[in-house]
Amino acid sequence: VVGIIGGGQLARMCAPAASRLGIELRVLAARPDESAAQAIVATTIGDHDDRDAVLAFARGCDVVTFDHEHVPLAILEELVADGGLVRPGPGALAHAQDKLLMRARLAAAGLPVPKWARVESADDVVSVADSLGGFPLVLKTARGGYDGRGVWVLTDASMARDVMAGAPVGAEWLAEAFVPFTRELSAQVARSPHGQVAAYPIVQTEQVEGMCRVVTAPAPDLSDDLANAAQQVAMSVAAELDVTGMLAVELFETEDGILINELAMRPHNSGHWSIDGAITDQFENHLRAVLDWPLGDPRSRAPWAIMVNLVGGQSTGSYNDVVLAYRHVMARDPEVRIHLYGKEVRPGRKLGHVTTYGADRSAARARAEHAADYLMGEINE
Ligand code: ADP
């Protein structure tokens, strides 16, 4: 029995893999209408920061893993002390919860990260600005950000003042050099407790307003040297932090090589292509890894896979409208793979994704974008 804390789409997409492998999946979701709660019968409703709810849920599971990184470490430590298997463990997960801790640890391990500094006030930002290459600078909250929330590009000190004044008391901050990246990449590995690692092909990710929009697998025109270096970085991070399960390392590619941006210790949006495009998808390898079973082959099944997120926009209709729009997309392109997460439509919300694959990258991309635009009501033919 694998228990997943958190009821989002990542937990939901573990279900087909669990079903194939014949293992029981249980979910602790905050609400019955959450993505995974709709799809997985063995769902308990409870909050991830409610100690009693988490401990009671974990007692019914052989191993506990996560849909997100927000479970308080103290609860997880108690769970481990109680004899529970928590994968990834709290010692690893701390680095996915706290960007300050992550930057410090990776820098100390000699891994490539942007220049950074801890800051507590706008005055601090001004005093570290020069050492970070001057403005523009990137200001981040250490904890709680996702999809670009909690990240600001500062053009001057007054902006730092405004951003920091509007934040909750006790927020912790880091300032970072603005990296003039040529593009963003993601390196995913699965790592099991006994140390087996499966490295996925390096993919290219494209963000719109901080949110992932398109993933291309493998990253086009990436040299073998850089692809190997990126895989090595992800494997080093996984070993250094003793990550178990899936790890995603979000990377910046620059003129001088790669830098680590962010870590996620769970299945990740940059790996959704693997459901239809890889021999073993990230959800199955996450389950295998947390169970300490042999890992599946992470290689691609097609020369190119393109994943486009379905993000609600101003012209997106209701959930039913999206489902009705299926028929056009399915009839036009029987090969397009559609994944909907069961979430109510809201502008800016990730509702699902589509994947195409094939030998012609630009054709696959055009098909995926057409399907996504049609489903989101951006186009009507
Ligand atoms: P989140 O944790 O919310 O996903 P990230 O740290 O991944 O936030 O940042 C979101 C986006 O902001 C990144 O995908 C990138 O486009 C941009 N960004 C973050 N850090 C930097 C940086 N140091 N330099 C330039 N752009 C950055």
Side-chain angles (χ1 to χ4, degrees):
V1 180
V2 176
I4 305 188
I5 302 180
Q9 64 260 26
L10 302 175
R12 178 184 173 110
M13 287 186 274
C14 285
S19 166
R20 270 198 306 278
L21 298 175
I23 56 182
E24 188 180 333
L25 199 62
R26 296 189 187 171
V27 168
L28 182 68
R31 294 184 320 273
D33 64 344
E34 278 190 302
S35 183
Q38 295 173 26
I40 295 166
V41 178
T43 293
T44 306
I45 302 302
D47 285 323
H48 63 262
D49 51 7
D50 174 345
R51 171 195 172 273
D52 295 340
V54 172
L55 290 181
F57 172 74
R59 272 185 215 114
C61 304
D62 295 305
V63 55
V64 165
T65 186
F66 309 95
D67 166 86
H68 58 65
E69 40 269 320
H70 307 314
V71 184
L73 291 184
I75 297 180
L76 298 179
E77 277 154 8
E78 200 177 333
L79 229 168
V80 172
D82 202 33
L85 287 183
V86 179
R87 291 173 176 162
L93 208 59
H95 301 87
Q97 292 187 344
D98 186 327
K99 289 178 181 174
L100 276 168
L101 194 66
M102 180 264 286
R103 283 281 183 261
R105 177 74 179 270
L106 298 185
L111 289 158
V113 295
K115 283 191 187 142
W116 64 282
R118 178 192 198 100
V119 290
E120 287 174 7
S121 64
D123 288 342
D124 285 356
V125 175
V126 172
S127 55
V128 298
D130 279 349
S131 67
L132 302 178
F135 289 96
L137 279 185
V138 181
L139 182 67
K140 299 184 177 184
T141 51
R143 308 174 68 90
Y146 67 100
D147 287 344
R149 296 177 178 109
V151 175
W152 294 267
V153 178
L154 305 178
T155 46
D156 55 40
S158 71
M159 222 179 135
R161 246 164 235 121
D162 293 346
V163 169
M164 292 170 102
V169 183
E172 292 185 273
W173 305 89
L174 62 159
E176 257 179 32
F178 179 85
V179 178
F181 56 82
T182 47
R183 62 173 162 176
E184 293 183 78
L185 303 171
S186 173
Q188 282 193 297
V189 295
R191 181 172 177 275
S192 58
H194 75 275
Q196 192 191 358
V197 176
Y200 281 84
I202 303 303
V203 302
Q204 169 183 294
T205 65
E206 294 165 51
Q207 273 61 237
V208 177
E209 287 165 9
M211 185 186 275
C212 176
R213 192 55 74 104
V214 184
V215 172
T216 305
D221 307 317
L222 184 67
S223 70
D224 287 348
D225 283 354
L226 219 50
N228 288 336
Q231 286 184 325
Q232 284 299 335
V233 161
M235 290 191 280
S236 301
V237 171
E240 174 72 23
L241 304 182
D242 193 21
V243 180
T244 47
M246 285 297 304
L247 166 72
V249 181
E250 295 175 19
L251 299 163
F252 297 130
E253 184 181 352
T254 73
E255 309 270 295
D256 311 316
I258 48 172
L259 293 171
I260 297 171
N261 177 28
E262 256 281 76
L263 306 182
M265 298 179 192
R266 46 169 172 76
H268 188 252
N269 199 167
S270 65
H272 292 353
W273 69 273
S274 66
I275 301 173
D276 302 303
I279 294 170
T280 314
D281 69 67
Q282 62 164 345
F283 300 98
E284 178 167 337
N285 261 339
H286 187 69
L287 296 177
R288 291 192 192 204
V290 301
L291 287 162
D292 209 6
W293 289 355
L295 301 175
D297 191 332
R299 285 177 301 170
S300 308
R301 288 196 242 184
W304 297 103
I306 308 285
M307 190 268 348
V308 178
N309 273 338
L310 301 175
V311 180
Q314 295 307 332
S315 345
T316 312
S318 66
Y319 191 82
N320 261 349
D321 291 332
V322 177
V323 173
L324 286 172
Y326 273 0
R327 288 174 296 183
H328 175 83
V329 171
M330 289 168 170
R332 184 180 191 269
D333 186 351
E335 268 185 75
V336 70
R337 306 290 302 156
I338 307 171
H339 302 254
L340 211 59
Y341 307 152
K343 291 157 70 176
E344 217 169 284
V345 177
R346 258 193 261 135
R349 194 175 201 200
K350 284 179 195 167
L351 307 171
H353 70 269
V354 295
T355 305
T356 55
Y357 45 89
D360 181 335
R361 169 163 53 98
S362 57
R365 182 170 179 135
R367 288 165 46 218
E369 286 188 329
H370 180 278
D373 287 347
Y374 191 90
L375 291 169
M376 293 296 94
E378 307 284 336
I379 53 173
N380 57 18
E381 61 180 319

